[in-house]
Amino acid sequence: MRGDTQVWPRAEAVPGASRRVVRQVLRVVELDALPMPPGAGTVFAGRRFLVVDDGCGVALELAGMLERQGAQVRTPRDVDGDCDGLIHLAALRPGAAGVLPQAYDGIRRALDGGLRWLVVASGAGGRFGWRFDGGGIGDPAPGAGLRGLARAVAQEYPEVLVRALDVDTKDTPRAVAQRFMAELLDAEAPVVVGHEGDLRRGISVVPAELHGEPVVPLGPDGVVLLTGGARGATARVALELARTSGCHVEVMGRTPEPAGEPAFPDVPDEAGLRRALVAKGQSGEIEATIRRILADREIRRNLEALREHAASVRYHAGDVRSPHVVREIVGRVQARRGRLDGVVHGAGLAEDRLVRDKTPESFERVYRTKVDGACALAQAVRPDIGFFVVLGGIAGVHAGRGQSDRAAAADACGTLAHAWRTRLRGRVLVAHFGPWARGPKWATGDAGLIEPDAGAAALLREIAHGDEAQVVFTGAAR
């Protein structure tokens, strides 16, 4: 494989290459109950707290409890100044829309000001938006993504007590406030906690193998739409779908399909392109030009590889964040083919920065590309679609430093998957993949990286035989 593209060869080309991918699932675990918080004391004496108001009385109850512990408390509608403690209850407001990505800016400013306590709240019934028994739950949408953001903040700010609490808004405001207060006083608790009545829960990620052939039940007349352009892991999944079924492949990407003759076709790599551009007299924006040329090459070669196996391949240029554009493209596909059997939403951005360096604009771009795109697709497709898959990213479960936006976006999709399942009757899945190996790293089988063939096969097996709403895939360490 040439180093300037991501055209995926077969794994058998590398002698001794491991094909194992570790599959993990999310499980709810019971946590020990916490003692009732004391009625009065000096735990927070002289500390300034902002409790972003929920409009239902929780903020007022909590403010009184904090004041009885010596804190100075205000309950604004949004973060409006420095504080020692921030408790963000906006997702508990009746009829609230999603608080992310807008809430990120206030949280970031509070962290910059020396925050020591951060609590973000969701009101999905204390069950994290999951259905355990088919019964009703609270609305998961307003707090979607907050758990992922909290995990990332906890990684980058180990001196801050960080909690993402999911509560049952049918409880009394006083009972909910008492649970918040108890969590604030427990420094050893996990970041993510759910409270439903007297039950206190956490989330665990556990290994779970899945058996079955990695073949999705599609035939040559099947139709699959994939977002993310003909690049990266999405392109590899598209190729595996085409190779195993011969289906029609519809690809959606932000940029138009490359046309005309490729630039510098005889120059194989970045260094050579840089020399060629300088020799041609180009100055400034050279690196951006190189990225465009390499992306163009990758798209061309991956589309060519797809056409060798698919019944047909069609490329659609459009912004997946726009519901109107998504509806138009989905409508065109269904009108022309008479069907749409599956969707794989792989579109996403990587603009990794620590929270202190991550602008609200960058956070919003990354978040909306994944989450708004997924929501637009879930609304645009017919309820009888065979499968609806979002490539979420491992940051949504195991947030790393510099991945606050991707962690929030992937976590939001994982939460919303349970809501999408109420409308879509087919397989609904958010697949949180670890990094896929590419180039020489793939050939040498670096520990922890997912080999392309193994990753694509794991996803197809999951679509065909699994029933989890969220699954985590990582490379097998050697």
Side-chain angles (χ1 to χ4, degrees):
M1 181 167 63
R2 297 176 65 174
D4 58 345
T5 64
Q6 292 176 38
V7 182
W8 307 98
R10 302 297 295 162
E12 290 82 358
V14 181
S18 168
R19 296 177 55 78
R20 183 166 175 259
V21 173
V22 177
R23 177 182 184 264
Q24 299 172 304
V25 297
L26 279 64
R27 291 288 181 260
V28 169
V29 295
E30 299 295 325
L31 300 177
D32 292 338
L34 295 178
M36 287 287 290
T42 58
V43 175
F44 300 119
R47 298 293 191 175
R48 301 163 301 162
F49 273 78
L50 291 183
V51 183
V52 174
D53 193 17
D54 62 307
C56 294
V58 176
L60 295 178
E61 289 281 0
L62 186 54
M65 294 177 188
L66 287 166
E67 286 171 347
R68 287 191 288 275
Q69 291 291 336
Q72 303 167 19
V73 188
R74 294 190 298 110
T75 58
R77 289 279 298 177
D78 203 350
V79 181
D80 62 358
D82 290 344
C83 54
D84 300 300
L86 171 61
I87 303 172
H88 207 295
L89 305 182
L92 305 185
R93 293 171 187 161
V99 300
L100 288 177
Q102 290 87 349
Y104 168 77
D105 186 29
I107 292 171
R108 174 178 176 267
R109 285 187 281 108
L111 289 164
D112 283 347
L115 198 67
R116 298 303 302 272
W117 294 271
L118 171 64
V119 179
V120 292
S122 58
R127 305 180 177 199
F128 313 111
W130 304 354
R131 282 172 167 79
F132 299 159
D133 53 12
I137 57 171
D139 184 1
L146 289 175
R147 288 194 298 273
L149 176 59
R151 291 188 186 105
V153 170
Q155 289 284 328
E156 296 182 27
Y157 295 86
E159 73 281 5
V160 179
L161 184 148
V162 182
R163 295 287 182 272
L165 302 184
D166 186 48
V167 298
D168 187 349
T169 55
K170 295 190 293 295
D171 283 346
T172 66
R174 181 171 181 78
V176 173
Q178 286 174 332
R179 295 183 179 111
F180 276 85
M181 194 69 184
E183 296 289 347
L184 279 169
L185 296 172
D186 182 19
E188 304 303 320
V191 172
V192 175
V193 179
H195 287 272
E196 182 185 18
D198 293 331
L199 296 175
R200 184 169 178 260
R201 302 184 175 104
I203 298 175
S204 179
V205 183
V206 298
E209 290 190 20
L210 180 68
H211 301 287
E213 290 298 312
V215 179
V216 176
L218 283 174
D221 57 344
V223 183
V224 181
L225 172 66
L226 303 100
T227 72
R231 302 183 64 194
T234 307
R236 184 61 190 86
V237 171
L239 181 59
E240 193 69 6
L241 283 166
R243 191 186 68 80
T244 57
S245 70
C247 65
H248 298 274
V249 174
E250 309 279 340
V251 179
M252 180 179 178
R254 283 179 297 162
T255 57
E257 181 177 359
E261 292 298 317
F264 304 102
D266 298 326
V267 181
D269 54 26
E270 290 188 34
L273 286 170
R274 195 171 290 106
R275 290 192 295 270
L277 289 167
V278 171
K280 195 176 178 181
Q282 180 167 337
S283 61
E285 300 297 325
I286 287 181
E287 298 306 315
T289 301
I290 291 172
R291 289 195 295 271
R292 285 195 297 271
I293 292 172
L294 295 179
D296 178 283
R297 290 179 179 182
E298 183 182 346
I299 292 171
R300 288 175 186 269
R301 297 190 185 202
N302 285 332
L303 289 176
E304 182 181 344
L306 272 175
R307 291 185 175 110
E308 293 180 8
H309 300 283
S312 68
V313 178
R314 188 178 294 265
Y315 188 97
H316 308 266
D319 188 345
V320 74
R321 296 173 297 182
S322 168
H324 171 74
V325 170
V326 170
R327 283 196 304 270
E328 182 180 353
I329 290 174
V330 168
R332 286 205 306 262
V333 171
Q334 292 174 334
R336 185 174 63 256
R337 297 294 179 195
R339 60 192 291 176
L340 178 56
D341 298 275
V343 165
V344 178
H345 176 44
L349 300 177
E351 300 182 8
D352 292 2
R353 295 286 189 279
L354 295 174
V355 168
R356 66 170 180 261
D357 302 319
K358 165 68 61 175
T359 66
E361 294 76 18
S362 176
F363 185 97
E364 182 171 355
R365 278 194 302 272
V366 174
Y367 186 88
R368 290 197 182 281
T369 298
K370 184 62 70 177
V371 181
D372 289 13
C375 291
L377 287 161
Q379 286 298 317
V381 301
R382 295 170 181 166
D384 61 353
I385 193 163
F387 59 89
F388 183 88
V389 177
V390 177
L391 304 185
I394 198 170
V397 179
H398 300 295
R401 290 170 57 83
Q403 297 180 325
S404 59
D405 45 11
R406 290 201 280 169
D411 173 74
C413 289
T415 298
L416 294 170
H418 298 271
W420 298 330
R421 280 186 160 196
T422 65
R423 177 179 182 271
L424 306 178
R425 298 193 290 271
R427 178 80 172 97
V428 177
L429 168 69
V430 176
H432 298 293
F433 274 101
W436 287 44
R438 44 184 82 173
K441 290 184 178 180
W442 171 73
T444 57
D446 274 19
L449 295 177
I450 294 175
E451 292 157 357
D453 276 4
L459 182 62
L460 267 59
R461 181 180 295 107
E462 192 67 41
I463 295 171
H465 305 289
D467 61 3
E468 302 281 343
Q470 297 185 74
V471 178
V472 180
F473 293 111
T474 60
R478 298 201 171 192

